[in-house]
Amino acid sequence: MSVDMSSQASDSNEEFEDDEDGVEGDIDHYYDGLDDDVAIEEPFDPEEYHFNCLTYKESQRVLTEEVHSIASALKVSPAVAKLVLVQFQWQVSQILERCKSNSSQLLCEAHAHAQPTSTCRSLPTGVSLQCGVCLQLVRRDALLSLPCQHSFCKACWEQHCTVLVKDGVGVEISCMAQDCSLRMPDDFVLPLLPSEELKDKYRRYLFRDYVESHFQLQLCPGADCPIVIQVQKPRARRVQCSCCGEVFCFKCRQMYHAPTDCATIRKWLTKCADDSETANYISAHTKDCPKCNICIEKNGGCNHMQCSKCKHDFCWMCLGDWKTHGSEYYECSRYKENPDIVNQSQQAQAREALKKYLFYFERWENHNKSLQLEAQTYQRIQEKIQERVMNNLGTWIDWQYLQNAAKLLAKCRYTLQYTYPYAYYMESGPRKKLFEYQQAQLEAEIENLSWKVERADSYERGEPSANDRGDLENQMHIAEQKRRTLLKDFHDT
């Protein structure tokens, strides 16, 4: 909320790149420890999602059990069973069901067995035969082949596997013959690799491919993190690694983005990266007071601004009088489409498209920056609490509600930020109107909460006011209720 009279230049491209890395780490664990402090009318949490964090050995155990199950049912080696499981995303029950009707077709679809229509040839008799790759004459017992019967010398197979493993290929190593898609099982590849180092690499790449193809598993995207996340039903939900603390969407392994779906957030981030130059002018931190025209810098997360010179209250986003925003509907959060735009020139339509994008991008970017500014507020609150506890002005528990309020504010604003890509790509109609209404209600309550957190009288007094605390906690309840209602109606639907 606080304002300053100074102007500040910034490199908007650099800022945008930083923002894409996410802001969740600015206030650590603001999803944790809030449920008991925020009693809401609707107990259902649309973000509730059960998952397990598995170590490498635990993951291997899960995979091995499923491999043995399929190998036994299909009567094939574990190496071939892995190829089948990878092809069908490790959906064991479906594989077992299909196995009952036509197991040969199953193997062919997994590229683990030669197609019935393929040209299979027996190795001819004779002392020496020609390798199909190097064209050298080699002894018959030095030729190797897969079930497709394409035979090549051992040296060529070794070179083929070595090159692919060095390139990071695992499961996808296939036969060298042209137009043959038969995959090479690991028990065929491993003896061909010339060094233990290369064999270890190959095993790592196989493990990566096994996990990434498994519909219930995801590798933690944290740097050098060995943890694998396991779920029962794969959905676009928030998960957090127990080892490195990385928070991400289970389905796409990108930053958590509810209520926007995975495909839409990818499209949005790509568009933002492509159009970052176009959006340069809105990345500045300063605007003019709509009443006295003095230059104002936003250095707090709240959009409710008060000019330090003329004391005019206005909205940072639309510069409108704060009193006219009302408590029911935020007009400045809803883009007003031009209904006649389809009948206008291509240039006019292009301008309208740019105007629409900038409208949503500015609000997306504003909430991102507000999160970073509120992280500073959170830090100040922690320092204030520590100072007062050290001076015997209440206990840590007495002041905990302020820290919880700041954490909930960050949690709500993070959700609100990701409503704007959702709204940008949403088709016009009754559903979009409902979404915009709920979005506007959430935005209003978040700004009320942000205003109360930043202007808490408790910062200045030695003892927390019961009225101030009750007012703040009530606002927390309202904001979280609005957030959950929006997610319940629109998240992953």
Side-chain angles (χ1 to χ4, degrees), residues 66-68 70-72 74 76-86:
E66 296 180 349
V67 167
H68 287 321
I70 296 303
S72 175
L74 290 175
V76 295
S77 68
V80 172
K82 292 172 189 174
L83 297 178
V84 176
L85 284 160
V86 167

Side-chain angles (χ1 to χ4, degrees), residues 155-212:
C156 287
W157 281 116
E158 287 179 351
Q159 185 177 15
H160 175 66
C161 295
T162 298
V163 169
L164 290 176
V165 170
K166 285 183 176 179
D167 286 343
V169 182
V171 171
E172 294 300 325
I173 298 179
S174 60
C175 176
M176 288 190 287
Q178 188 175 6
D179 299 327
C180 182
S181 59
L182 194 68
R183 289 174 177 164
M184 297 168 62
D186 58 15
D187 59 358
F188 187 91
V189 176
L190 279 168
L192 296 171
L193 298 176
S195 68
E196 284 302 317
E197 180 184 0
L198 211 56
K199 289 178 181 180
D200 287 340
K201 278 187 178 181
Y202 177 60
R203 292 188 186 99
R204 289 200 300 272
Y205 298 148
L206 286 176
F207 179 73
R208 173 204 63 196
D209 291 344
Y210 295 155
V211 172
E212 289 182 352

Side-chain angles (χ1 to χ4, degrees), residues 88 109 114 142 308 378 386 436:
F88 297 101
E109 288 182 28
S308 60
Y378 179 79
Q386 186 66 30
E436 289 176 333

